[in-house]
Amino acid sequence: MNNSDKLLIRNICCLGAGYVGGPTMAVIADKCPNLNVTVLDINQERINQWNNPDLEKLPVYEPGLKEVINRVRGKNLFFSTQIESIVSDSQMVFISVNTPTKTKGFGAGYASDLKWVEASARQVAKYSRDHTIVVEKSTLPVKTAQVIKEILENTGDDSQAESNTFSILSNPEFLAEGTAITDLNNPDRVLIGGDDIRSIEALKSIYKNWVPEEKIISTNLWSSELSKLTANAFLAQRITSINSISSICEVTGAEIKEVSYAVGSDKRIGSKFLSPGPGFGGSCFKKDILNLVYLSNYYGLYEVAEYWEQIIKINNWQKKRISRLIVQKLFGTITSKKIVVFGFAFKANTNDTRESPSISIVQDLLENGAEVIITDPKVQASQIKKDLDLEEFQRTSNTEFGFWRFSKDIYEAVKNADAILILTEWDEYKFVDWQQISRNMRAPSWVFDARSVSDLDSIRKAGLNVWALGNGSI
Ligand code: UDX
Ligand code: ADP
């Protein structure tokens, strides 16, 4: 391709200032000082939070994020709700809006709800000028690009529609929360799906500012969309596999950490994503597997659908069995007992709680009448209230139902508690003073470590009973 064929990209924007859009665009701005990058959202409050001069109050907590924002915000990175003018000035528009699983209508419980993607495509169709490259960033079901294409080609401002052109690329984001900035700075690969060579090259030239060319993979649109779903499904499947084995360890006397290490030492298997836990959470894994299940059923591939759906079933079962075990160990009843939950985020180093195993496990504990004290270094009580759909200290009309409260200080939280349940692997919970904790609790007291992160000997020495996930030797 000679230089005159190249598309000139000066201004780019992203619809959606969430966990993906915000950090991704911040890193692009950081790496490409010649680009003007604007992150757009319909939610004014979210944009205000991104613009907050106090970097501790950004809407997303990610290690390293505030440093990046500090370097580029106001220089070549902007956060705004001015969708019309910014889209119309942009040569490239990323779509990174929410795509939750549908709760009603056809495909409910499985298919992704594309109403926000559709609304975004309509905004692009209406406001864009000349040639615009539309880049799908959100995790989307296969064939979504087709939907976007049809909207772009058939809507728009009448006076402009004739002259406007679009090309669509799929560029799924593989960042994991908690390590988003490192993942974005040093990705294993960048995947670009599409059929318009000039647009692919334009997006590639952005990434080439910091990603070695051999790590940039080009495919057709559908391969790119399907690869993202498949990557997440494979990762979720590994976690489910190790979690299923954790239950076998507990009854046979084996230790899941030893098994995980021994299995992961085989280079063909590899050691990553073999940490047992209370079940995977996060906004992607469940949604993406459900999309695969929906897609497979849609095409009559029922056995394939059943295979993937089993991952979700075991993941739910893992959460349930932890709740059941707690009730059983606490003499068959937890009514009015105090249980302290260490960690509400779906994993460490994030304030995100979407699909966090803590939500359903706490709900089980409340249903069984417990007083639940929740602590987390980054999650706010207001978020927990939304997730549980229950006010702090609120008692329901069902007198058997427990209540919850938040505590920032773990040593305060454990006062007179009967049990501690570790659900998120925050460093704060790995190195606690078990002697001090033990003195504050009510005996006989228990520690349930659903992440297998604590030092069992120190817990035992402090006089506490302990259960650790997948550890059959205690
Ligand atoms: C995931 C994918 O990793 C990422 O590539 C994709 O872009 C989005 O989805 P994320 O959900 O942010 O990222 O976090 P991830 O680190 O994958 O963890 C997902 C869940 O699995 C968490 O609840 C985590 O605690 C759990 N997990 C992960 C385990 O239980 N064990 C492991 O070994 C790894
Ligand atoms: P993700 O984890 O994929 O980034 P989030 O839910 O964190 O998802 O963020 C999605 C963001 O997209 C939300 O802040 C939401 O307000 C925003 N959004 C939804 N629809 C639109 C739209 N049409 N235009 C701009 N932003 C949108």
Side-chain angles (χ1 to χ4, degrees):
M1 196 189 304
N2 59 49
N3 275 343
S4 60
D5 289 336
K6 283 193 179 155
L7 294 168
L8 190 66
I9 311 291
R10 284 285 303 127
N11 302 325
I12 68 171
C13 69
C14 174
L15 293 171
Y19 281 90
V20 174
T24 308
M25 292 299 125
V27 168
I28 293 182
D30 198 26
K31 301 291 185 187
C32 310
N34 297 329
L35 285 180
N36 275 316
V37 182
T38 309
V39 190
L40 296 162
D41 208 292
I42 42 174
N43 181 339
Q44 182 71 54
E45 195 193 330
R46 201 162 243 211
I47 291 299
N48 293 347
Q49 290 173 320
W50 280 111
N51 283 325
N52 196 323
D54 182 353
L55 291 168
E56 297 301 327
K57 296 203 171 123
L58 296 175
V60 169
Y61 170 73
E62 272 296 335
L65 175 63
K66 63 175 192 246
E67 289 79 2
V68 179
I69 297 283
N70 193 34
R71 277 199 294 276
V72 287
R73 194 175 58 183
K75 285 192 188 131
N76 67 330
L77 175 70
F78 306 92
F79 294 91
S80 166
T81 50
Q82 304 291 310
I83 296 180
E84 176 168 354
S85 58
I86 304 287
V87 166
S88 109
D89 280 346
S90 297
Q91 295 83 44
M92 191 179 274
V93 180
F94 291 77
I95 298 185
S96 187
V97 297
N98 23 341
T99 52
T101 304
K102 279 178 91 169
T103 51
K104 45 184 189 283
F106 294 118
Y110 290 92
S112 275
D113 192 339
L114 293 181
K115 77 175 167 222
W116 290 275
V117 172
E118 195 181 320
S120 307
R122 287 185 196 283
Q123 284 164 324
V124 178
K126 196 163 167 201
Y127 303 134
S128 62
R129 297 284 169 265
D130 306 324
H131 184 73
T132 308
I133 302 171
V134 178
V135 185
E136 299 176 338
K137 257 283 164 220
S138 321
T139 302
L140 295 164
V142 182
K143 294 282 178 183
T144 304
Q146 191 62 37
V147 176
I148 298 180
K149 215 176 225 169
E150 279 169 28
I151 293 170
L152 293 174
E153 282 164 6
N154 296 301
T155 29
D157 183 332
D158 288 340
S159 57
Q160 290 289 333
E162 292 291 301
S163 55
N164 288 350
T165 53
F166 302 96
S167 50
I168 298 169
L169 300 178
S170 156
N171 173 220
E173 187 46 71
F174 292 102
L175 68 80
E177 287 174 32
T179 52
I181 302 300
T182 338
D183 295 346
L184 286 162
N185 279 334
N186 189 16
D188 286 350
R189 79 302 209 186
V190 166
L191 180 55
I192 303 177
D195 45 27
D196 177 43
I197 297 293
R198 289 201 319 156
S199 304
I200 294 173
E201 285 304 319
L203 182 55
K204 243 189 193 178
S205 68
I206 293 180
Y207 284 109
K208 279 199 294 199
N209 281 295
W210 77 99
V211 179
E213 198 164 353
E214 61 277 12
K215 286 191 175 181
I216 306 179
I217 305 170
S218 313
T219 65
N220 78 29
L221 267 174
W222 323 125
S223 302
S224 171
E225 288 182 336
L226 183 58
S227 301
K228 167 71 185 194
L229 292 189
T230 308
N232 276 347
F234 274 40
L235 291 169
Q237 180 200 42
R238 274 174 80 89
I239 300 166
T240 291
S241 300
I242 204 72
N243 284 344
S244 74
I245 301 299
S246 72
S247 66
I248 303 183
C249 288
E250 288 161 29
V251 290
T252 54
E255 273 193 53
I256 194 64
K257 279 185 173 170
E258 293 177 351
V259 174
S260 171
Y261 181 73
V263 171
S265 299
D266 183 328
K267 281 203 191 74
R268 294 168 303 174
I269 297 173
S271 61
K272 296 203 172 127
F273 268 68
L274 287 182
S275 302
F280 58 77
S283 71
C284 285
F285 284 174
K286 183 171 160 201
K287 179 179 78 180
D288 288 355
I289 292 181
L290 289 172
N291 266 320
L292 266 190
V293 172
Y294 182 73
L295 188 76
S296 308
N297 275 325
Y298 181 83
Y299 287 107
L301 303 167
Y302 305 116
E303 286 74 9
V304 179
E306 211 175 303
Y307 170 74
W308 288 108
E309 192 155 21
Q310 197 58 30
I311 309 290
I312 304 285
K313 287 188 182 156
I314 295 279
N315 199 52
N316 289 337
W317 174 80
Q318 179 80 344
K319 293 182 256 185
K320 230 356 146 211
R321 83 181 184 87
I322 291 172
S323 317
R324 267 196 223 109
L325 181 127
I326 293 171
V327 176
Q328 184 209 328
K329 294 272 187 206
L330 296 182
F331 310 116
T333 174
I334 55 170
T335 305
S336 301
K337 286 187 180 156
K338 280 191 183 180
I339 301 179
V340 185
V341 168
F342 278 18
F344 204 79
F346 79 96
K347 62 186 266 193
N349 297 318
T350 177
N351 60 342
D352 195 351
T353 59
R354 285 176 292 179
E355 298 294 338
S356 175
S358 303
I359 301 173
S360 59
I361 294 176
V362 167
Q363 268 157 350
D364 284 344
L365 301 177
L366 291 172
E367 264 167 37
N368 281 279
E371 176 183 336
V372 183
I373 300 108
I374 302 170
T375 173
D376 190 288
K378 290 290 171 197
V379 178
Q380 308 281 332
S382 54
Q383 182 59 46
I384 300 173
K385 187 181 106 182
K386 276 190 211 147
D387 292 329
L388 297 175
D389 197 16
L390 194 68
E391 297 280 345
E392 244 182 308
F393 296 103
Q394 186 186 335
R395 292 188 181 267
T396 64
S397 51
N398 176 359
T399 49
E400 302 292 301
F401 203 84
F403 68 94
W404 72 277
R405 71 174 174 89
F406 184 74
S407 174
K408 197 85 192 156
D409 175 1
I410 57 171
Y411 296 98
E412 182 282 323
V414 300
K415 269 190 195 138
N416 296 322
D418 298 280
I420 291 170
L421 169 59
I422 303 174
L423 288 179
T424 313
E425 74 286 20
W426 287 103
D427 275 347
E428 282 88 334
Y429 308 146
K430 293 179 190 165
F431 313 105
V432 294
D433 181 344
W434 289 111
Q435 294 288 349
Q436 187 184 341
I437 287 201
S438 173
R439 281 195 295 276
N440 282 354
M441 291 177 77
R442 183 173 84 143
S445 28
W446 275 89
V447 176
F448 298 97
D449 182 356
R451 290 278 184 177
S452 282
V453 287
S454 47
D455 175 5
L456 302 186
D457 280 343
S458 322
I459 298 179
R460 276 208 216 89
K461 273 190 201 135
L464 299 159
N465 296 303
V466 63
W467 171 88
L469 184 87
N471 193 330
S473 68
I474 46 173

PDB file of all heavy atoms in Angstrom, residues 294-315:
ATOM      1  N   TYR A 294     -25.899 -20.205  23.274  1.00  0.00           N
ATOM      2  CA  TYR A 294     -27.005 -19.714  22.453  1.00  0.00           C
ATOM      3  C   TYR A 294     -26.725 -19.950  20.969  1.00  0.00           C
ATOM      4  O   TYR A 294     -27.552 -20.456  20.215  1.00  0.00           O
ATOM      5  CB  TYR A 294     -27.214 -18.220  22.733  1.00  0.00           C
ATOM      6  CG  TYR A 294     -28.373 -17.633  21.978  1.00  0.00           C
ATOM      7  CD1 TYR A 294     -29.684 -17.928  22.339  1.00  0.00           C
ATOM      8  CD2 TYR A 294     -28.163 -16.783  20.897  1.00  0.00           C
ATOM      9  CE1 TYR A 294     -30.758 -17.401  21.649  1.00  0.00           C
ATOM     10  CE2 TYR A 294     -29.233 -16.248  20.193  1.00  0.00           C
ATOM     11  CZ  TYR A 294     -30.518 -16.559  20.573  1.00  0.00           C
ATOM     12  OH  TYR A 294     -31.578 -16.028  19.878  1.00  0.00           O
ATOM     13  N   LEU A 295     -25.492 -19.598  20.583  1.00  0.00           N
ATOM     14  CA  LEU A 295     -25.084 -19.748  19.184  1.00  0.00           C
ATOM     15  C   LEU A 295     -25.160 -21.212  18.752  1.00  0.00           C
ATOM     16  O   LEU A 295     -25.684 -21.546  17.683  1.00  0.00           O
ATOM     17  CB  LEU A 295     -23.646 -19.235  19.059  1.00  0.00           C
ATOM     18  CG  LEU A 295     -23.033 -19.090  17.699  1.00  0.00           C
ATOM     19  CD1 LEU A 295     -23.589 -17.849  17.020  1.00  0.00           C
ATOM     20  CD2 LEU A 295     -21.502 -18.917  17.831  1.00  0.00           C
ATOM     21  N   SER A 296     -24.653 -22.095  19.619  1.00  0.00           N
ATOM     22  CA  SER A 296     -24.642 -23.526  19.279  1.00  0.00           C
ATOM     23  C   SER A 296     -26.068 -24.049  19.140  1.00  0.00           C
ATOM     24  O   SER A 296     -26.393 -24.755  18.182  1.00  0.00           O
ATOM     25  CB  SER A 296     -23.910 -24.335  20.348  1.00  0.00           C
ATOM     26  OG  SER A 296     -22.654 -23.771  20.589  1.00  0.00           O
ATOM     27  N   ASN A 297     -26.928 -23.698  20.080  1.00  0.00           N
ATOM     28  CA  ASN A 297     -28.323 -24.146  19.985  1.00  0.00           C
ATOM     29  C   ASN A 297     -28.987 -23.600  18.734  1.00  0.00           C
ATOM     30  O   ASN A 297     -29.720 -24.299  18.047  1.00  0.00           O
ATOM     31  CB  ASN A 297     -29.119 -23.679  21.218  1.00  0.00           C
ATOM     32  CG  ASN A 297     -28.958 -24.652  22.380  1.00  0.00           C
ATOM     33  OD1 ASN A 297     -28.863 -25.867  22.180  1.00  0.00           O
ATOM     34  ND2 ASN A 297     -28.925 -24.126  23.590  1.00  0.00           N
ATOM     35  N   TYR A 298     -28.700 -22.338  18.431  1.00  0.00           N
ATOM     36  CA  TYR A 298     -29.299 -21.681  17.275  1.00  0.00           C
ATOM     37  C   TYR A 298     -28.978 -22.456  15.994  1.00  0.00           C
ATOM     38  O   TYR A 298     -29.806 -22.616  15.109  1.00  0.00           O
ATOM     39  CB  TYR A 298     -28.779 -20.240  17.192  1.00  0.00           C
ATOM     40  CG  TYR A 298     -29.339 -19.442  16.053  1.00  0.00           C
ATOM     41  CD1 TYR A 298     -30.584 -18.823  16.169  1.00  0.00           C
ATOM     42  CD2 TYR A 298     -28.623 -19.295  14.865  1.00  0.00           C
ATOM     43  CE1 TYR A 298     -31.112 -18.090  15.120  1.00  0.00           C
ATOM     44  CE2 TYR A 298     -29.140 -18.565  13.811  1.00  0.00           C
ATOM     45  CZ  TYR A 298     -30.383 -17.962  13.944  1.00  0.00           C
ATOM     46  OH  TYR A 298     -30.893 -17.235  12.903  1.00  0.00           O
ATOM     47  N   TYR A 299     -27.737 -22.955  15.929  1.00  0.00           N
ATOM     48  CA  TYR A 299     -27.340 -23.693  14.728  1.00  0.00           C
ATOM     49  C   TYR A 299     -27.578 -25.201  14.877  1.00  0.00           C
ATOM     50  O   TYR A 299     -27.035 -25.990  14.105  1.00  0.00           O
ATOM     51  CB  TYR A 299     -25.876 -23.394  14.376  1.00  0.00           C
ATOM     52  CG  TYR A 299     -25.719 -22.003  13.803  1.00  0.00           C
ATOM     53  CD1 TYR A 299     -25.135 -20.982  14.534  1.00  0.00           C
ATOM     54  CD2 TYR A 299     -26.196 -21.708  12.524  1.00  0.00           C
ATOM     55  CE1 TYR A 299     -25.021 -19.692  14.014  1.00  0.00           C
ATOM     56  CE2 TYR A 299     -26.079 -20.422  11.996  1.00  0.00           C
ATOM     57  CZ  TYR A 299     -25.497 -19.422  12.746  1.00  0.00           C
ATOM     58  OH  TYR A 299     -25.394 -18.153  12.229  1.00  0.00           O
ATOM     59  N   GLY A 300     -28.333 -25.594  15.879  1.00  0.00           N
ATOM     60  CA  GLY A 300     -28.687 -27.012  16.048  1.00  0.00           C
ATOM     61  C   GLY A 300     -27.541 -27.853  16.588  1.00  0.00           C
ATOM     62  O   GLY A 300     -27.582 -29.087  16.510  1.00  0.00           O
ATOM     63  N   LEU A 301     -26.521 -27.229  17.145  1.00  0.00           N
ATOM     64  CA  LEU A 301     -25.371 -27.995  17.667  1.00  0.00           C
ATOM     65  C   LEU A 301     -25.609 -28.251  19.160  1.00  0.00           C
ATOM     66  O   LEU A 301     -24.934 -27.687  20.026  1.00  0.00           O
ATOM     67  CB  LEU A 301     -24.081 -27.199  17.442  1.00  0.00           C
ATOM     68  CG  LEU A 301     -23.821 -26.822  15.983  1.00  0.00           C
ATOM     69  CD1 LEU A 301     -22.727 -25.771  15.851  1.00  0.00           C
ATOM     70  CD2 LEU A 301     -23.443 -28.074  15.184  1.00  0.00           C
ATOM     71  N   TYR A 302     -26.607 -29.078  19.441  1.00  0.00           N
ATOM     72  CA  TYR A 302     -27.090 -29.212  20.823  1.00  0.00           C
ATOM     73  C   TYR A 302     -26.052 -29.811  21.775  1.00  0.00           C
ATOM     74  O   TYR A 302     -25.946 -29.414  22.924  1.00  0.00           O
ATOM     75  CB  TYR A 302     -28.390 -30.028  20.858  1.00  0.00           C
ATOM     76  CG  TYR A 302     -29.436 -29.419  19.946  1.00  0.00           C
ATOM     77  CD1 TYR A 302     -29.907 -30.109  18.829  1.00  0.00           C
ATOM     78  CD2 TYR A 302     -29.901 -28.124  20.163  1.00  0.00           C
ATOM     79  CE1 TYR A 302     -30.827 -29.529  17.973  1.00  0.00           C
ATOM     80  CE2 TYR A 302     -30.820 -27.528  19.304  1.00  0.00           C
ATOM     81  CZ  TYR A 302     -31.280 -28.237  18.207  1.00  0.00           C
ATOM     82  OH  TYR A 302     -32.158 -27.654  17.351  1.00  0.00           O
ATOM     83  N   GLU A 303     -25.281 -30.787  21.263  1.00  0.00           N
ATOM     84  CA  GLU A 303     -24.260 -31.410  22.131  1.00  0.00           C
ATOM     85  C   GLU A 303     -23.184 -30.396  22.499  1.00  0.00           C
ATOM     86  O   GLU A 303     -22.678 -30.369  23.620  1.00  0.00           O
ATOM     87  CB  GLU A 303     -23.614 -32.628  21.452  1.00  0.00           C
ATOM     88  CG  GLU A 303     -24.493 -33.858  21.404  1.00  0.00           C
ATOM     89  CD  GLU A 303     -25.617 -33.763  20.389  1.00  0.00           C
ATOM     90  OE1 GLU A 303     -25.628 -32.806  19.584  1.00  0.00           O
ATOM     91  OE2 GLU A 303     -26.504 -34.632  20.405  1.00  0.00           O
ATOM     92  N   VAL A 304     -22.842 -29.546  21.544  1.00  0.00           N
ATOM     93  CA  VAL A 304     -21.828 -28.513  21.807  1.00  0.00           C
ATOM     94  C   VAL A 304     -22.360 -27.538  22.859  1.00  0.00           C
ATOM     95  O   VAL A 304     -21.669 -27.162  23.808  1.00  0.00           O
ATOM     96  CB  VAL A 304     -21.471 -27.755  20.493  1.00  0.00           C
ATOM     97  CG1 VAL A 304     -20.449 -26.666  20.761  1.00  0.00           C
ATOM     98  CG2 VAL A 304     -20.957 -28.723  19.438  1.00  0.00           C
ATOM     99  N   ALA A 305     -23.624 -27.181  22.706  1.00  0.00           N
ATOM    100  CA  ALA A 305     -24.247 -26.250  23.667  1.00  0.00           C
ATOM    101  C   ALA A 305     -24.220 -26.851  25.074  1.00  0.00           C
ATOM    102  O   ALA A 305     -23.861 -26.184  26.049  1.00  0.00           O
ATOM    103  CB  ALA A 305     -25.683 -25.968  23.250  1.00  0.00           C
ATOM    104  N   GLU A 306     -24.562 -28.139  25.139  1.00  0.00           N
ATOM    105  CA  GLU A 306     -24.617 -28.805  26.443  1.00  0.00           C
ATOM    106  C   GLU A 306     -23.233 -28.849  27.093  1.00  0.00           C
ATOM    107  O   GLU A 306     -23.084 -28.644  28.298  1.00  0.00           O
ATOM    108  CB  GLU A 306     -25.108 -30.235  26.211  1.00  0.00           C
ATOM    109  CG  GLU A 306     -25.901 -30.808  27.337  1.00  0.00           C
ATOM    110  CD  GLU A 306     -26.423 -32.185  26.930  1.00  0.00           C
ATOM    111  OE1 GLU A 306     -27.132 -32.277  25.888  1.00  0.00           O
ATOM    112  OE2 GLU A 306     -26.063 -33.143  27.609  1.00  0.00           O
ATOM    113  N   TYR A 307     -22.219 -29.106  26.268  1.00  0.00           N
ATOM    114  CA  TYR A 307     -20.839 -29.186  26.757  1.00  0.00           C
ATOM    115  C   TYR A 307     -20.449 -27.867  27.444  1.00  0.00           C
ATOM    116  O   TYR A 307     -19.968 -27.850  28.582  1.00  0.00           O
ATOM    117  CB  TYR A 307     -19.906 -29.466  25.573  1.00  0.00           C
ATOM    118  CG  TYR A 307     -18.431 -29.345  25.889  1.00  0.00           C
ATOM    119  CD1 TYR A 307     -17.795 -30.316  26.642  1.00  0.00           C
ATOM    120  CD2 TYR A 307     -17.685 -28.268  25.419  1.00  0.00           C
ATOM    121  CE1 TYR A 307     -16.440 -30.206  26.929  1.00  0.00           C
ATOM    122  CE2 TYR A 307     -16.341 -28.158  25.699  1.00  0.00           C
ATOM    123  CZ  TYR A 307     -15.724 -29.126  26.462  1.00  0.00           C
ATOM    124  OH  TYR A 307     -14.391 -29.002  26.748  1.00  0.00           O
ATOM    125  N   TRP A 308     -20.687 -26.745  26.788  1.00  0.00           N
ATOM    126  CA  TRP A 308     -20.279 -25.461  27.363  1.00  0.00           C
ATOM    127  C   TRP A 308     -21.160 -25.053  28.533  1.00  0.00           C
ATOM    128  O   TRP A 308     -20.697 -24.438  29.488  1.00  0.00           O
ATOM    129  CB  TRP A 308     -20.236 -24.364  26.283  1.00  0.00           C
ATOM    130  CG  TRP A 308     -19.061 -24.569  25.368  1.00  0.00           C
ATOM    131  CD1 TRP A 308     -19.082 -24.996  24.074  1.00  0.00           C
ATOM    132  CD2 TRP A 308     -17.677 -24.421  25.719  1.00  0.00           C
ATOM    133  NE1 TRP A 308     -17.802 -25.118  23.592  1.00  0.00           N
ATOM    134  CE2 TRP A 308     -16.918 -24.769  24.574  1.00  0.00           C
ATOM    135  CE3 TRP A 308     -16.996 -24.032  26.868  1.00  0.00           C
ATOM    136  CZ2 TRP A 308     -15.526 -24.726  24.550  1.00  0.00           C
ATOM    137  CZ3 TRP A 308     -15.608 -23.997  26.858  1.00  0.00           C
ATOM    138  CH2 TRP A 308     -14.888 -24.340  25.709  1.00  0.00           C
ATOM    139  N   GLU A 309     -22.431 -25.424  28.458  1.00  0.00           N
ATOM    140  CA  GLU A 309     -23.334 -25.023  29.547  1.00  0.00           C
ATOM    141  C   GLU A 309     -22.927 -25.684  30.867  1.00  0.00           C
ATOM    142  O   GLU A 309     -23.152 -25.143  31.959  1.00  0.00           O
ATOM    143  CB  GLU A 309     -24.787 -25.372  29.207  1.00  0.00           C
ATOM    144  CG  GLU A 309     -25.737 -24.708  30.169  1.00  0.00           C
ATOM    145  CD  GLU A 309     -27.136 -24.480  29.602  1.00  0.00           C
ATOM    146  OE1 GLU A 309     -27.495 -25.174  28.636  1.00  0.00           O
ATOM    147  OE2 GLU A 309     -27.841 -23.610  30.150  1.00  0.00           O
ATOM    148  N   GLN A 310     -22.300 -26.840  30.761  1.00  0.00           N
ATOM    149  CA  GLN A 310     -21.872 -27.548  31.964  1.00  0.00           C
ATOM    150  C   GLN A 310     -20.870 -26.720  32.789  1.00  0.00           C
ATOM    151  O   GLN A 310     -20.821 -26.813  34.006  1.00  0.00           O
ATOM    152  CB  GLN A 310     -21.262 -28.908  31.548  1.00  0.00           C
ATOM    153  CG  GLN A 310     -21.138 -29.911  32.661  1.00  0.00           C
ATOM    154  CD  GLN A 310     -22.477 -30.240  33.332  1.00  0.00           C
ATOM    155  OE1 GLN A 310     -23.521 -30.191  32.701  1.00  0.00           O
ATOM    156  NE2 GLN A 310     -22.426 -30.559  34.619  1.00  0.00           N
ATOM    157  N   ILE A 311     -20.094 -25.884  32.096  1.00  0.00           N
ATOM    158  CA  ILE A 311     -19.110 -25.033  32.799  1.00  0.00           C
ATOM    159  C   ILE A 311     -19.849 -24.096  33.767  1.00  0.00           C
ATOM    160  O   ILE A 311     -19.435 -23.892  34.903  1.00  0.00           O
ATOM    161  CB  ILE A 311     -18.301 -24.163  31.783  1.00  0.00           C
ATOM    162  CG1 ILE A 311     -17.706 -24.990  30.668  1.00  0.00           C
ATOM    163  CG2 ILE A 311     -17.269 -23.282  32.488  1.00  0.00           C
ATOM    164  CD1 ILE A 311     -16.604 -25.889  31.036  1.00  0.00           C
ATOM    165  N   ILE A 312     -20.939 -23.548  33.287  1.00  0.00           N
ATOM    166  CA  ILE A 312     -21.721 -22.617  34.123  1.00  0.00           C
ATOM    167  C   ILE A 312     -22.337 -23.383  35.293  1.00  0.00           C
ATOM    168  O   ILE A 312     -22.374 -22.900  36.421  1.00  0.00           O
ATOM    169  CB  ILE A 312     -22.855 -21.967  33.290  1.00  0.00           C
ATOM    170  CG1 ILE A 312     -22.302 -21.268  32.065  1.00  0.00           C
ATOM    171  CG2 ILE A 312     -23.698 -21.019  34.145  1.00  0.00           C
ATOM    172  CD1 ILE A 312     -21.629 -19.962  32.333  1.00  0.00           C
ATOM    173  N   LYS A 313     -22.820 -24.587  34.990  1.00  0.00           N
ATOM    174  CA  LYS A 313     -23.476 -25.366  36.055  1.00  0.00           C
ATOM    175  C   LYS A 313     -22.493 -25.672  37.182  1.00  0.00           C
ATOM    176  O   LYS A 313     -22.806 -25.527  38.353  1.00  0.00           O
ATOM    177  CB  LYS A 313     -24.050 -26.671  35.483  1.00  0.00           C
ATOM    178  CG  LYS A 313     -25.287 -26.433  34.648  1.00  0.00           C
ATOM    179  CD  LYS A 313     -25.946 -27.731  34.268  1.00  0.00           C
ATOM    180  CE  LYS A 313     -27.151 -27.465  33.383  1.00  0.00           C
ATOM    181  NZ  LYS A 313     -27.482 -28.618  32.541  1.00  0.00           N
ATOM    182  N   ILE A 314     -21.302 -26.120  36.819  1.00  0.00           N
ATOM    183  CA  ILE A 314     -20.309 -26.449  37.860  1.00  0.00           C
ATOM    184  C   ILE A 314     -19.902 -25.179  38.612  1.00  0.00           C
ATOM    185  O   ILE A 314     -19.701 -25.185  39.814  1.00  0.00           O
ATOM    186  CB  ILE A 314     -19.047 -27.111  37.240  1.00  0.00           C
ATOM    187  CG1 ILE A 314     -19.402 -28.462  36.638  1.00  0.00           C
ATOM    188  CG2 ILE A 314     -17.917 -27.249  38.265  1.00  0.00           C
ATOM    189  CD1 ILE A 314     -19.485 -29.602  37.621  1.00  0.00           C
ATOM    190  N   ASN A 315     -19.818 -24.062  37.886  1.00  0.00           N
ATOM    191  CA  ASN A 315     -19.429 -22.806  38.551  1.00  0.00           C
ATOM    192  C   ASN A 315     -20.478 -22.422  39.613  1.00  0.00           C
ATOM    193  O   ASN A 315     -20.135 -22.011  40.714  1.00  0.00           O
ATOM    194  CB  ASN A 315     -19.277 -21.702  37.499  1.00  0.00           C
ATOM    195  CG  ASN A 315     -18.455 -20.536  38.016  1.00  0.00           C
ATOM    196  OD1 ASN A 315     -17.346 -20.722  38.514  1.00  0.00           O
ATOM    197  ND2 ASN A 315     -19.006 -19.330  37.935  1.00  0.00           N
TER     198      ASN A 315
END
